[in-house]
Structure formats: structure tokens, C-alpha cells
Amino acid sequence: MQKITIINGPNLNLLGRREPEIYGSETFEEFFGSLMGRFNGKAHLSYFQSNSEGKIIDKIQEVGFEEDGIVLNAGAYTHTSVAIADAISAISAPVVEVHISNVHAREAFRHHSHLSPVCAGIIVGCGLKGYELAIQFLLSIGEEVSG
Ligand code: DQA
């Protein structure tokens, strides 16, 4: 079974409470429970969240040579972090960048991502559904690789 880790960056531990008009009212823990149910028997999903850039990089390095894919919402570090982009370039697992909100419809500083050029795909503005779409994509490319 393919192994996929979801990594959420800063302030995403506040989902459900944080600006619900932008990010919705569901906590990630609630959502992750239903997500695991949806992929039961199809993928082994893990979840990690940190507000620290270095801890996100440590997790990318830890799973990036072992697992089949990473779904990464790096939050605001998306727009600032060359170090996270370098970590994505360094590993062998494909990474899908996800943003819950449509960053292109928001402030100009959210329009640029250091991560997009080194990711296998990008899903923006689909709400929490974006995580599910990213997993489906990673499973489909994993099947192509393993035949
Ligand atoms: C976000 C968009 C980022 O610009 C923001 O800093 C976040 C969340 C999103 O999921 O829409 O923290 O990554």
C-alpha cells in the first residue's frame, strides 16, 4: 500500500477557528479522520503539522526518501522559504502543493510560491477537498511507477 504524508505548516493547526470565512469551520483533525476512511485499504496516510520551518524540513527529509508522496500546505512559508523548496528538490518522493484558499484571488504577496517550481503538482482554492485530490493524484502516479 502506498504511503503518503500530509504536512501542514504554520497556523494550519487553527483550522476551524482561524478566519472560517476563508478556511472553513472544520478542524483538520476532523477532516483527517474522514479522509482516512475514504482511502481505507488504498493508502496509508499520516499527518504532521508544525509552525516551525525547520521541523517541516526535518519531516520532508524524514519521509521523502521512504514514502510514495507528500501533500504539503506550507502556509505562509510557501511565499518565503527557499529552504523548504531546497528540501523538496532534495528528496525522491513527489510533492503536491496544496492551498485551501485561492491564493491568486488574495493579496499580491500570496501570488508567488517558492515551492511550485519544484512540486509535481499544485492544487489551489478547492478547500479541504484539495488534500483529497492531491492524494488521488499521488496514488495514480504511484500506480504508473509500480505498474
Ligand atoms: C494557505 C495560503 C497561505 O497564503 C496562507 O499563509 C496560509 C494558508 C492556504 O491553505 O490557503 O496559511 O496556504
Side-chain angles (χ1 to χ4, degrees):
M1 199 183 304
Q2 293 189 49
K3 287 188 177 173
I4 294 171
T5 293
I6 297 172
I7 301 176
N8 272 344
N11 301 307
L12 291 162
N13 55 315
L14 296 180
L15 283 177
R17 282 194 286 165
R18 170 193 187 197
E19 299 176 276
E21 65 287 359
I22 298 175
Y23 299 111
S25 52
E26 196 173 3
T27 68
F28 200 83
E29 286 71 18
E30 286 164 356
F31 171 73
F32 187 62
S34 60
L35 197 63
M36 283 199 296
R38 259 170 269 163
F39 288 99
N40 193 17
K42 297 183 194 133
H44 181 276
L45 302 181
S46 308
Y47 172 53
F48 175 82
Q49 189 277 331
S50 178
N51 294 325
S52 307
E53 188 175 17
K55 287 188 181 154
I56 294 167
I57 292 167
D58 288 343
K59 183 52 85 171
I60 291 170
Q61 291 184 6
E62 180 193 319
V63 301
F65 293 99
E66 305 296 330
E67 300 196 358
D68 303 291
I70 295 174
V71 178
L72 175 63
N73 183 348
Y77 288 139
T78 304
H79 317 299
T80 62
S81 181
V82 174
I84 293 177
D86 282 352
I88 295 169
S89 297
I91 60 168
S92 49
V95 177
V96 178
E97 176 183 349
V98 168
H99 299 287
I100 297 165
S101 65
N102 180 356
V103 285
H104 299 290
R106 300 179 65 193
E107 302 95 320
F109 65 83
R110 297 186 203 275
H111 298 179
H112 178 260
S113 166
H114 284 288
L115 315 184
S116 297
V118 292
C119 282
I122 307 149
I123 298 172
V124 167
C126 299
L128 292 175
K129 185 102 188 149
Y131 292 89
E132 184 179 345
L133 296 171
I135 294 164
Q136 281 169 358
F137 172 69
L138 287 169
L139 288 179
S140 73
I141 60 171
E143 278 161 19
E144 282 165 25
V145 170
S146 63

